[in-house]
Amino acid sequence: MPPEGLTRAQALERLEAFLPRAGSAYARDRNIDPGPNDTGHVSKLSPYVRHRLIGEWELARAAEKAHGAAASKFIDEVCWRSYWRGYLEMRPALWASYVDYLLSDEAETARQTDTYCAAVSGQTGIDAFDVWTAELITTGYLHNHARMSFASIWVHTLRLPWQLGAAFFLEHLLDGDEAANTLSWRWVAGLHTPGKVYLASSEAIDTCSAGRFRPTGLAHTAAPVPMEPPVSLSPLAGPLATPREPSVLLITAEDLGADGFRLGDIRLAGIAAYVSGKAPVGAAIAATAQTLAEQTDTEVRLFDTPDELAAAVAAFGAGSLVTSRLPIGTTRTDLLHLLGRMDVPVRLHERTRLWDAIAWAAASRGFYAFRPVIAHLMALTDPGGFQDRL
Ligand SMILES: Cc1cc2nc3c(=O)[nH]c(=O)nc-3n(C[C@H](O)[C@H](O)[C@H](O)COP(=O)(O)OP(=O)(O)OC[C@H]3O[C@@H](n4cnc5c(N)ncnc54)[C@H](O)[C@@H]3O)c2cc1C
């Protein structure tokens, strides 16, 4: 069962419990998934990292401190998240075309098929797949190898559109991340690296599920990949000066404070929290805002409509909202839409954490080209600091 509300204390506790396994044991065993009732070989920290209750840099540094060079596999995996984020930031068209597809008649027709209904209710009769469907729905988590195999069976064996599978994951994963999810599904389908698809095999599933599953009837050939026009790179937003006027700190599901909001230069008039997402995430947003309000002796307002946000900004007497960078995805789309519907316009000032600024700028090509920047990220004095404070 997922926790009722995600907290930083849970994340730190989980990290401490996992650390002894973050070195050579992780490199050796990370693909083995003994099932949800076993501690397993991975950290299960993804919901906390996703919502920035803990930063990638905190995981990476703790692992390096505990294991030195033997932590490199774990650090690489942590950096995959930062890489995927940057990759999508530079290619917003990939997210836009995925969202467009979900709204299309073709997607609606596919949702009406027996195959789709069997897949999302765990009634395909395929060993492993149906168990993973139930596990995803009840726990909000799946092991990475299960995600790869599930996505492969969805696309290549069941021949369902990858976009509907990605949407099914985002609906249930507590770590649902627009970048890692969309781009991983594209990779499985063969859209990420030309000529490469991920075809799940019964043998690999047997090994990686620690002998729990050995499905039969899996596809040996990939589903055809639709041709896509090349996507041009969009520039990343650069650093901005901190607003001089009184501002409202906007807290969203994208950044719940990690190791601090670094409020130093901000003239804090109040805190507004945009409550969205699944129940444990919504609870975490409200709790983060409340704690920060107590620490800074300010007031907090929760909102999810333009009127509520307008009332908060007016009550605080502020002219701008200051928030951590809103990456490409649902929160950004919804908030920009909401701001666009406000009668009195409010300026939105986004601050990018240094870790993100450096990692994202290096994600223009493949992960191999990105890897050298990991040493630079690990050497930063304050990776959780914000770029505009340079
Ligand atoms: C089809 C598919 C969909 C996915 N969707 C998501 C998603 O919505 N959100 C998400 O966070 N990850 C996603 N992943 C990546 C990966 O499966 C999860 O990050 C990982 O399983 C989380 O478990 P963990 O915390 O135990 O990871 P660990 O192995 O303990 O790794 C530590 C942290 O590193 C990051 N990480 C590890 N592996 C990856 C990876 N391959 N890609 C990106 N980040 C990684 C995560 O933040 C993770 O918490 C997806 C992978 C696939 C194949």
Side-chain angles (χ1 to χ4, degrees):
M1 277 294 164
E4 279 176 20
L6 302 172
T7 66
R8 177 161 169 83
Q10 289 161 6
L12 294 174
E13 210 175 292
R14 218 174 255 216
L15 176 59
E16 198 185 321
F18 169 71
L19 266 187
R21 291 173 282 134
S24 52
Y26 180 85
R28 189 185 59 231
D29 300 330
R30 72 192 173 89
N31 283 325
I32 308 297
D33 172 17
N37 300 323
D38 192 296
T39 310
H41 309 289
V42 291
S43 71
K44 298 189 183 166
L45 275 161
S46 48
Y48 304 93
V49 183
R50 162 64 184 96
H51 299 291
R52 277 271 155 89
L53 279 155
I54 193 163
E56 287 97 316
W57 55 93
E58 294 182 275
L59 268 62
R61 288 183 164 194
E64 189 180 54
K65 191 168 169 217
H67 299 280
S72 66
K73 190 68 209 168
F74 180 70
I75 295 172
D76 271 7
E77 292 303 313
V78 169
C79 288
W80 263 102
R81 177 187 142 72
S82 315
Y83 169 74
W84 281 140
R85 266 286 167 206
Y87 193 95
L88 194 65
E89 283 304 304
M90 288 192 196
R91 297 162 182 84
L94 294 180
W95 174 251
S97 67
Y98 158 76
V99 172
D100 284 350
Y101 180 86
L102 293 179
L103 298 172
S104 69
D105 291 344
E106 193 182 322
E108 194 43 39
T109 305
R111 283 190 201 98
Q112 306 303 326
T113 60
D114 291 346
T115 310
Y116 175 82
C117 295
V120 297
S121 58
Q123 293 177 358
T124 62
I126 301 175
D127 188 21
F129 188 92
D130 292 346
V131 175
W132 287 328
T133 302
E135 186 180 332
L136 172 65
I137 292 171
T138 50
T139 68
Y141 177 84
L142 279 184
H143 183 279
N144 183 57
H145 200 271
R147 295 183 200 207
M148 287 163 54
S149 306
F150 183 102
S152 177
I153 294 170
W154 180 287
V155 173
H156 302 300
T157 299
L158 298 174
R159 303 262 158 158
L160 288 165
W162 70 266
Q163 296 95 330
L164 296 191
F168 180 58
F169 264 26
L170 276 192
E171 185 187 341
H172 294 287
L173 283 172
L174 261 188
D175 64 29
D177 178 292
E178 289 87 340
N181 191 57
T182 312
L183 297 169
S184 298
W185 275 87
R186 286 176 58 86
W187 171 75
V188 168
L191 288 160
H192 186 70
T193 315
K196 275 202 176 169
V197 300
Y198 181 70
L199 266 182
S201 74
S202 185
E203 296 72 28
I205 291 175
D206 182 13
T207 306
C208 292
S209 68
R212 290 179 300 137
F213 310 117
R214 198 177 169 80
T216 52
L218 303 190
H220 294 294
T221 50
V225 185
M227 292 299 286
E228 279 189 348
V231 174
S232 51
L233 295 188
S234 299
L236 296 170
L240 294 169
T242 306
R244 292 177 188 280
E245 61 196 350
S247 304
V248 173
L249 182 74
L250 170 63
I251 294 183
T252 74
E254 300 307 314
D255 189 338
L256 296 178
D259 61 347
F261 281 110
R262 314 291 206 280
L263 296 174
D265 302 340
I266 296 171
R267 292 178 61 198
L268 188 65
I271 297 169
Y274 177 51
V275 180
S276 63
K278 298 164 192 80
V281 178
I285 297 167
T288 300
Q290 195 53 50
T291 306
L292 195 63
E294 283 158 20
Q295 286 167 355
T296 55
D297 200 19
T298 40
E299 239 189 89
V300 62
R301 298 261 184 136
L302 309 182
F303 74 94
D304 65 2
T305 67
D307 289 348
E308 286 166 352
L309 177 57
V313 172
F316 292 137
S320 58
L321 292 167
V322 174
T323 194
S324 302
R325 174 95 195 144
L326 301 170
I328 302 290
T330 307
T331 307
R332 179 175 192 82
T333 307
D334 291 352
L335 261 173
L336 292 185
H337 182 64
L338 197 143
L339 285 169
R341 285 168 51 214
M342 286 176 70
D343 292 336
V344 181
V346 181
R347 277 180 295 282
L348 179 68
H349 177 94
E350 295 177 68
R351 307 156 79 211
T352 308
R353 293 202 190 250
L354 277 178
W355 177 279
D356 293 337
I358 290 167
W360 294 1
S364 59
R365 294 189 288 139
F367 189 76
Y368 186 73
F370 172 88
R371 268 191 110 246
V373 92
I374 295 177
H376 183 186
L377 290 169
M378 295 299 287
L380 286 172
T381 313
D382 183 16
F386 287 92
Q387 200 185 14
D388 60 1
R389 297 189 66 227
L390 271 175

